[in-house]
Amino acid sequence: MQILDGNLVSKATRDELKIKVAQLVAEGRKVPHLAAILVGSNGASETYVGSKVKTCEEIGYKSTLIRLEETISEFKLLTAIEELNNDPDIDGILVQLPLPKHISDEKVINAIDASKDVDGFHPVSVGKMVQGLPTFIPATPHGVMLMLEHYKIDTKGKNAVVIGRSNIVGRPMSILLSANTQPGNCTVTICHSHTKNLKEICKEADILVAALGRPEFVTADMVKEGAVVIDVGITRVEDTTKKKGFSLKGDVKYDEVAPLCSYITPVPGGVGPMTIAALMKNTFRACQDKN
Ligand code: GUN
């Protein structure tokens, strides 16, 4: 069993970007500038946005963090996005999800200029991705593909099973794994809450991607010997033995599943760091299109 080390691959990707940014600076060209909007103060979202901003600094990008009150109106949020759309110095815009219930995710995502949609959630980006055209790929599935590529994992003709059909992870993941690309070219099954015989389907997977957000859902009896297991889940579970009061749990029961696998991602230190690396790649691309 080999661990797919997200920290290592993410660092390699970030180091490559750092060199490219230094080149832009040396040539007196524009450096990438990411704007992140955080509405409210959800603990996990704070952590994610904090990491994104910190990574921008580390690579040499500019970043702008806009914090808005939990109670902000949808109109005011849309206005803030419009200002960023019109600001020529801003290359990438992300609005951290989830948003408060009174705000429509759909309206917000649609309001972002597609050329600055570094999350790859805008319908234009999604449509291009489905057609295999160059575009922004959502960061988490993009990060998983970068990891498969880095470890030269053979995907062609393999059975991939994705558990979860969210627009952020499961659905784009299924499209990328089935695309006529390397990695890609899998036969993909997408499972969700209405799937029958989930265990049996998972057991057929050469590549199993767990992205449903239920801690330790995938158990040893669901995994084929030699499978590649990608754990996208990262849930805060109360843990009084920890200083923070919680520990992070993946969607896979790691201790019992890992011995069965050819490769597995740990949580934390697997997909999480790759998500940030992929976002940084998207942000570089957004700037490059203008440079
Ligand atoms: N919430 C969970 N994942 C993501 C992501 O990739 N982008 C944004 N904007 N919000 C998220």
Side-chain angles (χ1 to χ4, degrees):
M1 184 272 292
Q2 190 177 349
I3 287 177
L4 298 170
D5 186 342
N7 286 324
L8 186 115
V9 185
S10 171
K11 168 110 178 37
T13 310
R14 292 182 338 251
D15 284 348
E16 263 173 43
L17 291 169
K18 219 180 210 172
I19 293 167
K20 287 187 177 180
V21 172
Q23 272 167 2
L24 291 179
V25 173
E27 291 163 11
R29 289 155 76 193
K30 184 183 181 325
V31 298
H33 187 171
L34 176 69
I37 301 183
L38 177 60
V39 182
S41 54
N42 172 292
S45 292
E46 289 266 2
T47 307
Y48 297 144
V49 172
S51 299
K52 291 170 185 177
V53 168
K54 197 168 137 241
T55 309
C56 282
E57 280 164 21
E58 174 207 312
I59 296 178
Y61 293 179
K62 281 166 79 178
S63 66
T64 297
L65 172 58
I66 299 173
R67 290 175 162 278
L68 301 170
E69 297 278 321
E70 177 91 24
T71 52
I72 187 152
S73 70
E74 185 179 87
F75 178 76
K76 278 197 178 146
L77 174 56
L78 294 173
T79 307
I81 293 170
E82 193 54 30
E83 278 172 21
L84 296 171
N85 283 342
N86 294 331
D87 183 340
D89 197 56
I90 301 287
D91 301 297
I93 304 169
L94 78 83
V95 180
Q96 189 65 27
L97 302 176
L99 288 166
K101 291 220 160 31
H102 66 279
I103 298 176
S104 151
D105 287 7
E106 190 190 337
K107 275 193 196 161
V108 167
I109 290 167
N110 277 294
I112 296 170
D113 186 320
S115 72
K116 301 189 179 190
D117 173 39
V118 287
D119 260 330
F121 297 161
H122 191 283
V124 168
S125 308
V126 178
K128 286 184 180 174
M129 178 188 63
V130 170
Q131 295 192 346
L133 300 171
T135 188
F136 300 113
I137 306 289
T140 301
H142 189 187
V144 171
M145 297 309 279
L146 292 172
M147 181 107 95
L148 294 174
E149 193 177 8
H150 178 92
Y151 282 94
K152 300 190 169 45
I153 290 174
D154 187 18
T155 53
K156 195 168 166 186
K158 303 286 180 190
N159 280 336
V161 173
V162 179
I163 317 175
R165 56 178 161 184
S166 71
N167 287 339
I168 296 181
V169 187
R171 198 167 296 282
M173 191 77 255
S174 70
I175 289 160
L176 296 172
L177 284 169
S178 62
N180 190 0
T181 52
Q182 174 55 36
N185 280 314
C186 294
T187 303
V188 179
T189 307
I190 185 157
C191 298
H192 47 76
S193 50
H194 294 273
T195 298
K196 292 190 177 125
N197 306 324
L198 179 73
K199 262 186 196 182
E200 288 73 13
I201 294 169
C202 290
K203 192 110 190 158
E204 292 296 310
D206 301 307
I207 299 167
L208 179 62
V209 182
L212 70 160
R214 278 177 58 183
E216 301 189 322
F217 180 86
V218 175
T219 45
D221 57 338
M222 296 166 75
V223 178
K224 175 160 118 180
E225 186 99 36
V228 177
V229 173
I230 309 287
D231 190 350
V232 179
I234 185 153
T235 308
R236 290 179 172 199
V237 176
E238 195 184 310
D239 184 346
T240 49
T241 68
K242 293 272 157 44
K243 220 166 113 192
K244 289 179 179 166
F246 64 85
S247 52
L248 296 173
K249 290 261 181 257
D251 286 352
V252 176
K253 209 163 193 180
Y254 187 87
D255 290 347
E256 63 175 55
V257 170
L260 289 170
C261 301
S262 54
Y263 296 91
I264 187 166
T265 60
V267 176
V271 174
M274 291 310 301
T275 296
I276 305 240
L279 173 70
M280 295 298 132
K281 266 179 105 79
N282 282 351
T283 306
F284 190 87
R285 176 198 183 93
C287 177
Q288 201 176 24
D289 291 347
K290 291 190 207 146
N291 238 320

